[in-house]
Amino acid sequence: MKWTLAQLRKFHDEVIKFDDDLKIENLTDRKDILSVERLNVKGEIFVRSRQFNVQIYIDTIINMLDSRTSEDIQVPLQIESLEIFDETVHEDDDLDENVHPVIHTLDLEPVIRELIIVNLPTAYTTSDEPLGSGKDWEVIDEDEFAHESEEKTDPRLEKLKALLDSDEEKED
């Protein structure tokens, strides 16, 4: 998805629409990201004199490893962003994250790649089950914990509880 500035200038003060399926290999070096299954990019480029406003809509499915089971799963992503490409800015300028310098060509692929990487979850699972249990522990919800803590009294503290109860009776 590249356009030269000469191509874009032909459409001054107009909107250029695009809709394309892309193939991106080696999206990131993360080991849990296996591949990009499907990637569709739609959008519009509004051409101004030295600035190009690009509204991008990304619809993709990423093949990842499940965070709990390590099985292959598909993670759908829908991303929308407004990116500004400007001829008057330089790479060493202190820029907003959505403003990009452009010299000879407007290339959307690095921006698309970055948007996908930033929006990927750090951990993702399709499992609805809680973690389960391990040696000498198990996962319980808060209601169970509150109920168990009310019922259980350490037998070594029974005498102290009786003493506390008798003190409360004396105060009444």
Side-chain angles (χ1 to χ4, degrees):
M1 300 197 82
K2 280 186 185 181
W3 297 271
T4 65
L5 296 184
Q7 287 174 317
L8 293 173
R9 286 203 178 96
K10 293 177 187 175
F11 299 97
H12 183 67
D13 286 336
E14 292 183 36
V15 174
I16 303 169
K17 294 184 183 231
F18 59 90
D19 185 351
D20 202 4
D21 292 325
L22 298 179
K23 193 77 170 163
I24 292 184
E25 300 293 327
N26 302 324
L27 179 65
T28 178
D29 59 351
R30 281 179 44 184
K31 301 295 184 212
D32 61 335
I33 307 300
L34 303 175
S35 64
V36 178
E37 178 79 18
R38 176 179 59 81
L39 175 59
N40 178 265
V41 180
K42 297 179 188 178
E44 300 174 338
I45 303 172
F46 182 69
V47 181
R48 296 171 52 189
S49 62
R50 311 227 351 124
Q51 191 177 65
F52 308 94
N53 296 342
V54 183
Q55 183 69 43
I56 301 174
Y57 305 95
I58 301 171
D59 185 22
T60 186
I61 296 176
I62 307 295
N63 291 326
M64 295 179 66
L65 293 177
D66 189 290
S67 299
R68 290 188 187 168
T69 64
S70 293
E71 295 175 1
D72 292 357
I73 58 171
Q74 293 185 332
V75 179
L77 290 176
Q78 287 80 34
I79 304 165
E80 182 178 341
S81 181
L82 174 64
E83 304 293 325
I84 300 169
F85 293 83
D86 198 330
E87 288 183 80
T88 61
V89 298
H90 299 77
E91 289 198 28
D92 53 341
D93 291 348
D94 188 26
L95 301 174
D96 180 15
E97 62 188 29
N98 292 357
V99 177
H100 311 279
V102 61
I103 299 173
H104 300 291
T105 60
L106 188 147
D107 186 6
L108 290 182
E109 186 176 331
V111 174
I112 293 168
R113 182 181 294 268
E114 179 183 341
L115 285 169
I116 293 172
I117 291 170
V118 167
N119 285 284
L120 277 172
T122 55
Y124 191 84
T125 186
T126 56
S127 173
D128 292 335
E129 297 177 17
L131 285 175
S133 62
K135 184 177 180 183
D136 300 327
W137 66 272
E138 69 179 89
V139 176
I140 61 173
D141 62 14
E142 289 183 39
D143 295 334
E144 287 180 51
F145 177 74
H147 184 67
E148 283 184 15
S149 63
E150 287 175 7
E151 291 177 4
K152 290 183 179 178
T153 304
D154 190 342
R156 298 171 292 180
L157 301 176
E158 286 294 325
K159 291 181 182 178
L160 290 175
K161 184 172 180 359
L163 182 62
L164 181 62
D165 291 341
S166 66
D167 284 345
E168 287 178 1
E169 289 175 8
K170 288 178 184 177
E171 290 179 4
D172 291 338

